[in-house]
Amino acid sequence: RPEAVDDTAVAIQAANIPRDRMRRRRLVTTPAFGAALQLVHCRVDVLYGAEDVLYRAHWPAVTAAWRAHPTLADVQVLPGVGHWLQYEAPETVNAWLVQRLAER
């Protein structure tokens, strides 16, 4: 969302681009996600931004992979926010986290 691109967001992105170890996000197009899920044995709660450019073309496959996971408790996709959902929608993300932690 254009309104989420403020000076702080630009500074964070500029500082982190040189640290990026997954150039061009090729990992997203591999079976690594599904393989990594097999190593997770604890309760899992998942929250994504619907406009996340890494996944928005793959939502059916991503959500199906999570829903098939035996320890999944919750998977939600927030409409109108992108990859930086905790930055773009902090109140919603914080409330979701507090609710999940209270369930423990």
Side-chain angles (χ1 to χ4, degrees):
R1 293 183 346 238
E3 65 273 14
V5 182
D6 60 14
D7 291 343
T8 301
V10 171
I12 292 169
Q13 183 70 1
N16 284 301
I17 286 173
R19 297 180 180 116
D20 188 355
R21 295 178 298 162
M22 293 185 281
R23 302 284 180 205
R24 291 177 282 176
R25 303 296 182 205
R26 284 174 275 184
L27 189 61
V28 171
T29 62
T30 73
F33 176 70
L37 282 180
Q38 302 308 310
L39 303 174
V40 177
H41 302 288
C42 62
R43 176 187 163 133
V44 177
D45 295 288
V46 181
L47 185 64
Y48 286 102
E51 300 306 317
D52 188 326
V53 297
L54 300 178
Y55 300 107
R56 69 177 166 205
H58 308 283
W59 283 129
V62 171
T63 55
W66 279 117
R67 292 195 193 289
H69 196 276
T71 64
L72 177 74
D74 185 29
V75 60
Q76 291 190 25
V77 180
L78 293 180
V81 294
H83 186 71
W84 286 16
L85 64 159
Q86 68 277 18
Y87 185 82
E88 294 179 57
E91 297 83 10
T92 303
V93 172
N94 289 342
W96 187 86
L97 288 169
V98 167
Q99 182 179 0
R100 295 306 162 291
L101 292 171
E103 293 170 0
R104 307 296 177 284

